[in-house]
């Protein structure tokens, strides 16, 4: 089951949807099959949120790197892994928190194409007797869509304009096609759960409505901290949720994919300051290569060199300490042998 839900982490008032690839709810507790009846309610940010711990298997994704810098301090100063959607390519996490994807998207009303898609799915289901198969179907709608059982979702007056259908035009909607690719990349980074939060009511409306209408969405209206089970499920607790080994594995994974800044953070969580310094040096060198300012590039390269030297010094100290411990252990073993030998001679 993949659920999109959201705990009030980024704004005083939040609205949430959830997405599920499959639903394990029985018809008893879920009378509409795999559909969670959604409802909305503002939730005031929990005062204890700064104490929330994210694990090595959770990540917060934003549309671009610039959007990462606009995340609230409570998140940027936490141990949470934070990446842009392009940076996350090739990576996998148990839980993905997608923040303000539609708010930061360069397209706006074009998202209404999803309303047209939903209409065509409904037409296809009607021709096929509710979507259970058959020879009919609306043009352009594959039979693989017929497994969905659409439900009627209440629409507010403010949503009606955003939910008007818009025909898809490949020539005019090239930017929208790119956005779909990014959205696909973001959602498929998750192995278990996807959590979506978005502040743009108009731009998010078509996608939220599509998920709800296809029975793939539900709304979480309270902080996950108030429900211990959900907090653990989504990797949100007030204690460490990952071991040092898990953090080290995640750090190496991030480093291989060039996400050096987050690799540094993960290495620190793993208790490895030497590799953290090396990752910081790599990050600074990468930033220097991007800089168009000669003076800024020199400063960044100097800082990168200092970080590399700090990593080398730390590695040398660690090696010396390990060698000293080994000699001490061997010396203690030798003394035991002498004592044992004397006893045997006697």
């Amino acid at each position: 089951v993949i659920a999109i839900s959201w705990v009030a982490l980024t704004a005083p008032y939040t609205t949430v949807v959830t997405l599920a690839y499959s639903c394990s709810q029985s018809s008893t507790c879920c009378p509409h099959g795999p559909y969670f009846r959604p409802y909305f309610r503002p939730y005031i940010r929990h005062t204890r949120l700064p104490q929330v711990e994210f694990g090595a298997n959770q990540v917060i994704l934003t549309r671009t790197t610039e959007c990462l810098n606009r995340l609230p301090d409570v998140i940027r100063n936490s141990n949470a892994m934070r990446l842009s959607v392009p940076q996350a390519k090739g990576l996998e996490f148990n839980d993905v928190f997608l923040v303000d994807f539609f708010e930061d998207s360069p397209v706006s009303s074009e998202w209404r194409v999803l309303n047209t898609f939903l209409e065509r799915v409904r037409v296809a289901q009607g021709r096929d007797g509710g979507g259970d198969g058959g020879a009919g179907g609306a043009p352009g709608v594959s039979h693989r869509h017929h497994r969905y059982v659409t439900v009627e979702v209440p629409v507010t007056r403010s949503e009606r304009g955003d939910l008007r259908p818009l025909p898809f035009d490949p020539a005019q909607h090239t930017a929208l096609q790119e956005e779909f690719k990014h959205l696909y990349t973001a959602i498929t980074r998750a192995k278990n759960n996807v959590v979506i939060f978005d502040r743009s009511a108009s731009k998010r409306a078509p996608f939220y409505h599509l998920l709800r209408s296809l029975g793939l969405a539900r709304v979480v209206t309270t902080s996950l901290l108030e429900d211990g089970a959900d907090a653990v499920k989504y990797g949100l607790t007030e204690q460490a949720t990952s071991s040092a080994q898990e953090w080290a594995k995640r750090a190496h994974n991030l480093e291989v994919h060039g996400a050096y800044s987050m690799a540094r953070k993960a290495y620190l969580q793993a208790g490895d300051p030497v590799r953290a310094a090396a990752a910081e040096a790599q990050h600074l060198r990468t930033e220097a290569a991007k800089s168009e300012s000669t003076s800024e590039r020199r400063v960044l390269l100097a800082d990168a060199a200092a970080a590399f030297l700090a990593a080398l010094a730390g590695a040398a100290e660690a090696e010396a300490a390990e060698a000293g411990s080994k000699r001490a252990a061997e010396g203690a073993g030798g003394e035991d042998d002498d004592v044992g030998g004397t006893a045997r001679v006697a």
Side-chain angles (χ1 to χ4, degrees):
V1 177
I2 284 199
I4 297 176
S5 46
W6 181 250
V7 56
L9 287 176
T10 60
Y13 299 94
T14 64
T15 304
V16 199
V17 276
T18 69
L19 165 70
Y21 286 147
S22 60
C23 177
S24 60
Q25 301 295 319
S26 66
S27 58
T28 302
C29 64
C30 194
H32 296 287
Y35 172 63
F36 297 88
R37 184 178 297 280
Y39 61 96
F40 298 92
R41 186 183 72 186
Y43 178 75
I44 299 179
R45 183 164 51 202
H46 202 290
T47 57
R48 297 167 66 192
L49 282 178
Q51 300 174 9
V52 170
E53 291 283 346
F54 283 76
N57 294 311
Q58 286 74 42
V59 68
I60 294 175
L61 297 183
T62 62
R63 176 66 183 76
T64 64
T65 305
E66 291 73 20
C67 300
L68 288 172
N69 299 326
R70 296 201 295 269
L71 289 172
D73 291 342
V74 65
I75 292 180
R76 289 192 289 110
N77 295 333
S78 73
N79 66 319
M81 296 292 98
R82 307 181 306 278
L83 298 169
S84 67
V85 173
Q87 287 176 330
K89 285 185 178 180
L91 296 170
E92 282 188 335
F93 296 83
N94 286 350
D95 311 299
V96 168
F97 294 76
L98 182 59
V99 179
D100 278 344
F101 180 88
F102 298 95
E103 167 75 14
D104 297 319
S105 172
V107 301
S108 182
S109 61
E110 294 90 332
W111 289 110
R112 287 168 41 215
V113 164
L114 292 172
N115 303 327
T116 302
F117 171 77
L118 179 59
E119 281 194 346
R120 299 178 74 160
V121 170
R122 284 174 170 158
V123 170
Q125 289 176 340
R127 292 185 180 184
D128 288 347
D132 294 328
V141 178
S142 168
H143 282 278
R144 67 178 180 273
H145 299 131
H146 297 182
R147 67 181 182 274
Y148 296 123
V149 178
T150 59
V151 295
E152 290 300 324
V153 177
V155 176
T156 64
R157 181 176 299 178
S158 61
E159 292 177 321
R160 290 174 184 171
D162 300 316
L163 297 181
R164 288 176 293 131
L166 177 68
F168 176 68
D169 185 338
Q172 295 184 4
H173 294 150
T174 54
L176 179 63
Q177 295 178 65
E178 289 299 313
E179 291 304 288
F180 278 134
K181 293 177 182 178
H182 287 298
L183 183 58
Y184 173 83
T185 298
I187 291 177
T188 54
R189 296 313 90 202
K191 293 190 287 186
N192 297 329
N193 305 295
V194 179
V195 180
I196 296 181
F197 165 74
D198 206 282
R199 290 177 293 179
S200 178
S202 60
K203 294 168 73 172
R204 78 187 181 205
F207 185 63
Y208 277 29
H209 184 69
L210 175 68
L211 296 179
R212 295 164 63 194
S213 298
L214 294 179
L216 302 178
R218 71 182 176 95
V219 174
V220 175
T221 58
T222 60
S223 167
L224 294 180
L225 286 179
E226 294 181 349
D227 186 326
D230 272 351
V232 173
K233 178 180 179 181
Y234 296 112
L236 296 172
T237 68
E238 293 185 39
Q239 298 178 353
T241 58
S242 299
S243 65
Q245 291 76 14
E246 288 176 312
W247 278 112
K249 182 178 179 180
R250 173 60 65 193
H252 177 71
N253 187 227
L254 290 164
E255 193 172 22
V256 168
H257 285 81
Y260 299 116
S261 178
M262 289 299 103
R264 171 187 174 276
K265 183 183 290 288
Y267 275 129
L268 288 175
Q269 290 294 124
D272 192 342
V274 173
R275 285 187 172 85
E280 174 67 7
Q282 292 279 22
H283 170 66
L284 291 169
R285 189 172 68 171
T286 302
E287 292 300 305
K290 297 177 183 177
S291 177
E292 297 180 356
S293 169
T294 302
S295 58
E296 181 183 21
R297 188 161 55 248
R298 287 175 178 172
V299 171
L300 288 170
L301 287 174
D303 291 341
F308 272 125
L309 290 173
L312 287 172
E317 291 178 5
E319 185 177 352
E322 183 179 356
S325 299
K326 186 176 180 180
R327 286 194 300 270
E330 290 174 348
E335 291 177 2
D336 292 341
D337 290 343
D338 290 341
V339 173
T342 302
R344 285 192 295 272
V345 171

